[in-house]
Amino acid sequence: MAPKGPRPLLFLTLVLLAACLAQLSEGASYRQFLNQHVDFPMIVGFDNHAYCNYIMERRGLTRPVCKPTNTFIHAPTSQVQAICRGAGRCHGRNFCDSNSSFFLTICRVAPGSRPGRCVYRGRVQTRKIRVACKQRLPVRFVRIL
């Protein structure tokens, strides 16, 4: 005997909604990664400290607290994605190490900073990186290698 009433339709709707939300959250994680860690082409016209103060504020990384440390990758998104798509050595639980080095800016909060008045010190490096990948996209910056 088939179920009566709107329950099968409601169940199907909830399943489809859950699938859509899961897919959207995957995209949101990648978009969040891009917002927090990719700046290409790099904004020019600043020294390292002024760059960090500007970009951390602009990307929303100074509220509700001053983010202690953040690394920006200055490379096209295609090169960063490639780490998760065969141009990196993957191991463990979806962690992938880049095979090539990236131009980076590391921003560290200065002592005495507070929300609304975050002050950062910046330094540049060219190094390999490790990212966490999900569905062949980077979703978290893990560390500099």
Side-chain angles (χ1 to χ4, degrees):
M1 179 174 208
K4 294 184 179 178
R7 288 189 185 112
L9 184 58
L10 179 62
F11 179 73
L12 179 61
T13 303
L14 290 174
V15 168
L16 290 173
L17 179 62
C20 289
L21 289 175
Q23 201 166 29
L24 285 174
S25 71
E26 293 301 322
S29 296
Y30 173 63
R31 283 191 303 275
Q32 184 177 13
F33 172 84
L34 292 178
N35 179 65
Q36 289 186 0
H37 298 292
V38 178
D39 183 32
F40 184 82
M42 181 181 176
I43 299 169
V44 295
F46 295 103
D47 65 33
N48 295 339
H49 303 318
Y51 169 80
C52 284
N53 289 327
Y54 176 77
I55 195 77
M56 294 292 285
E57 176 77 26
R58 183 172 178 191
R59 299 291 179 94
L61 303 176
T62 59
R63 292 197 183 263
V65 297
C66 303
K67 187 173 181 185
T69 302
N70 196 67
T71 302
F72 289 98
I73 306 162
H74 306 294
T77 55
S78 60
Q79 289 180 12
V80 180
Q81 288 174 359
I83 299 168
C84 300
R85 297 178 176 179
R89 288 185 329 276
C90 297
H91 51 87
R93 296 175 9 152
N94 298 326
F95 294 124
C96 296
D97 298 343
S98 65
N99 291 333
S100 57
S101 295
F102 287 90
F103 180 58
L104 310 169
T105 300
I106 299 96
C107 300
R108 294 192 198 291
V109 72
S113 293
R114 61 186 192 280
R117 302 221 32 161
C118 302
V119 178
Y120 287 90
R121 302 289 179 245
R123 78 185 152 100
V124 296
Q125 291 185 346
T126 301
R127 302 278 297 275
K128 293 180 180 180
I129 60 173
R130 176 175 292 164
V131 296
C133 301
K134 201 168 198 177
Q135 295 185 340
R136 297 171 35 103
L137 290 171
V139 293
R140 187 165 61 91
F141 183 89
V142 177
R143 68 183 178 102
I144 297 171
L145 300 174

